[in-house]
Amino acid sequence: MLLSLTVLPKAVMAQDANELFTTFSPALVQIKSINLESGQKSSIGTGFFISKDGNLVTNYHVISSFVQSPEKYKLEYVDDQQGTYSVKVIAVDVINDLALLSSGTNSDVFFKLSEQEPEKGADLFALGNPHDLGMIVVPGTYNGIQLKSFYQRIHFTGSINPGMSGGPTVNHAGNVVGINVATAGNQIGFLVPVERLWLLVNKYKNVKTAEVDLLADIGEQLIANQTDLYQQLLASDWPTTSLGGAIVPNEMSTFMPCWGDSNQDQEKKQYNQATSNCRLEESIYISDSLRTGFAQIGFNWIESDKLNTMQLSHLYTLNLNARYGHNNAGRDDVSDFQCNENILENAVGNTVKGLMCIRAYRQYAGLFDVRFTSLLLEKDDQTLIGKYFLQGVTKQTANAFYAKFMENVQWK
């Protein structure tokens, strides 16, 4: 069995930050990804033992370079006595940024995973190695699950700094309630809820390290996640709103908020302009060169009775060519975009000029990035420019999103 999660004896129950550190420091380690060519560390983070038989947890992003390129990197952990040891990857959860590791040695001190969610306002303690300065304990407050988010994260009031990634955040008893994952600064930190770690542990409790094809598993996780995400986005009718002389989709979900702007307050303007932009606030980290799971949809309405046809056309072109969406994938990650332009008719008979561009993921078959740009035609003095960008979707999802878009964009 991979894990044996047992309750720690009362004698080692911690009551304050100093006691927590004294009690559990042997169960905390630093995780290093070492570049084989240079022999130098390429990334560092925190890890922690969760079983007597030496299994560890950290963030996926801490070990991602090894997972993506095992021929170029190796993984090590450094214990509280500064001993350095090799470590193997059992499984990863890229959606929740978790990794389960095996040290191959026994650990007399380890963390128990909490089976209960803390009460809002409860005191917590984040442990980790910030900026490679040594292990510390950071007190903070549990503020519940982050609202308006597709990916569950705990809002933690406390300083989570680089190097603390993958470390545990615990209650007074020393039980793990979350895993350090990110910060927004100003004492705003984010944790992966421990229930996500429970799911990973239970899924792979009888699996040996050599039995998991990590890249294939990541591909399956990404496909399952995008299916769930877009089922929620596409399942119900999209609310719409007026944007100038057009009607466009509004907030399709609480986790995809919309923002707007206009030039209404500008004096001596030669054209009227109003914009709307809706986007996911999160994405999924795969490697330093690739993030996925992002979606964005936006509109730009332009009207003018002062500009001539050539000037309007130039203005439209500038807005059409403006960069839109993330473009952080490297050439080793994705193919080049292949584009196709068409004159289309939407559900109510409006004429649309559309440009669809698609690129494929090289390591994750069946996933694509999709860009779509459109001009709503038929008006001499105005147009509506529509754009969307979807990262890491299947062709089925891409087709469903396109159909939904065309149903919800039209002139008044």
Side-chain angles (χ1 to χ4, degrees), residues 242-244 259-267 269 271-277 299-303:
S242 295
L243 189 70
W259 305 87
D261 199 4
S262 73
N263 66 350
Q264 183 178 2
D265 58 348
Q266 293 182 10
E267 296 182 3
K269 59 181 182 290
Y271 58 91
N272 299 315
Q273 185 173 34
T275 62
S276 172
N277 191 58
F299 301 92
N300 188 357
W301 171 78
I302 300 173
E303 176 192 50

Side-chain angles (χ1 to χ4, degrees), residues 18-264:
N18 182 61
E19 192 175 346
L20 273 168
F21 187 79
T22 302
T23 303
F24 292 105
S25 57
L28 290 167
V29 302
Q30 184 181 59
I31 305 292
K32 293 183 178 182
S33 179
I34 307 295
N35 180 274
L36 294 175
E37 183 70 23
S38 67
Q40 300 297 315
K41 59 181 178 287
S42 63
S43 65
I44 59 172
T46 301
F48 58 100
F49 284 101
I50 59 169
S51 69
K52 187 174 182 178
D53 51 357
N55 292 308
L56 293 152
V57 171
T58 190
N59 285 148
Y60 162 78
H61 75 256
V62 172
I63 63 158
S64 61
S65 57
F66 170 80
V67 173
Q68 297 295 316
S69 303
E71 74 282 1
K72 297 179 181 179
Y73 299 90
K74 66 178 181 179
L75 297 177
E76 297 177 346
Y77 76 91
V78 182
D79 67 12
D80 65 325
Q81 301 301 312
Q82 298 306 302
T84 299
Y85 307 90
S86 62
V87 66
K88 296 180 180 179
V89 181
I90 298 171
V92 299
D93 175 355
V94 295
I95 310 304
N96 293 289
D97 203 353
L98 294 174
L100 196 56
L101 314 175
S102 172
S103 67
T105 60
N106 292 333
S107 177
D108 293 331
V109 181
F110 55 90
F111 289 90
K112 176 183 179 291
L113 306 187
S114 177
E115 297 182 3
Q116 292 183 328
E117 181 182 344
E119 293 184 1
K120 200 164 187 179
D123 294 333
L124 299 178
F125 303 90
L127 294 85
N129 188 344
H131 302 287
D132 202 16
L133 296 174
M135 293 294 176
I136 66 167
V137 181
V138 176
T141 306
Y142 178 82
N143 293 291
I145 299 297
Q146 182 185 2
L147 299 177
K148 297 183 179 181
S149 174
F150 180 72
Y151 304 106
Q152 283 196 336
R153 296 292 183 265
I154 292 170
H155 176 195
F156 171 74
T157 303
S159 296
I160 304 245
N161 292 300
M164 294 181 70
S165 293
T169 292
V170 302
N171 57 24
H172 279 279
N175 298 335
V176 178
V177 300
I179 299 87
N180 307 334
V181 71
T183 181
N186 298 317
Q187 300 290 308
I188 298 176
F190 298 102
L191 318 172
V192 179
V194 73
E195 66 179 84
R196 311 313 301 183
L197 178 54
W198 271 113
L199 292 173
L200 183 64
V201 165
N202 290 332
K203 182 178 179 181
Y204 292 97
K205 63 183 178 181
N206 295 316
V207 176
K208 297 179 180 179
T209 56
E211 294 178 354
V212 179
D213 183 334
L214 293 174
L215 292 183
D217 197 31
I218 289 172
E220 292 175 3
Q221 291 176 30
L222 294 175
I223 289 175
N225 181 72
Q226 69 88 45
T227 299
D228 187 22
L229 170 64
Y230 286 96
Q231 278 181 346
Q232 294 190 45
L233 280 177
L234 300 172
S236 58
D237 292 337
W238 284 356
T240 57
T241 187
S242 295
L243 189 70
I247 295 174
V248 301
N250 201 8
E251 293 194 0
M252 295 94 80
S253 172
T254 56
F255 56 77
M256 196 166 178
C258 300
W259 305 87
D261 199 4
S262 73
N263 66 350
Q264 183 178 2

Side-chain angles (χ1 to χ4, degrees), residues 243-368:
L243 189 70
I247 295 174
V248 301
N250 201 8
E251 293 194 0
M252 295 94 80
S253 172
T254 56
F255 56 77
M256 196 166 178
C258 300
W259 305 87
D261 199 4
S262 73
N263 66 350
Q264 183 178 2
D265 58 348
Q266 293 182 10
E267 296 182 3
K268 299 181 179 179
K269 59 181 182 290
Q270 291 189 301
Y271 58 91
N272 299 315
Q273 185 173 34
T275 62
S276 172
N277 191 58
C278 314
R279 56 182 287 169
L280 288 174
E281 298 298 323
E282 308 140 312
S283 59
I284 300 168
Y285 178 94
I286 301 298
S287 68
D288 285 344
S289 62
L290 179 63
R291 284 182 177 268
T292 189
F294 177 76
Q296 186 172 4
I297 179 172
F299 301 92
N300 188 357
W301 171 78
I302 300 173
E303 176 192 50
S304 178
D305 57 5
K306 297 180 180 180
L307 300 178
N308 59 40
T309 301
M310 184 175 294
Q311 290 171 322
L312 270 175
S313 177
H314 178 67
L315 180 61
Y316 297 164
T317 300
L318 288 176
N319 281 274
L320 280 168
N321 292 336
R323 182 175 175 176
Y324 190 78
H326 294 172
N327 188 29
N328 63 339
R331 297 188 66 85
D332 291 338
D333 299 310
V334 294
S335 66
D336 292 333
F337 273 111
Q338 300 296 316
C339 300
N340 184 37
E341 186 175 76
N342 282 301
I343 300 296
L344 312 160
E345 190 173 280
N346 66 12
V348 296
N350 296 150
T351 304
V352 180
K353 183 177 182 180
L355 178 66
M356 179 72 75
C357 297
I358 300 175
R359 64 184 180 188
Y361 283 40
R362 297 190 188 279
Q363 287 189 305
Y364 304 109
L367 290 174
F368 303 85

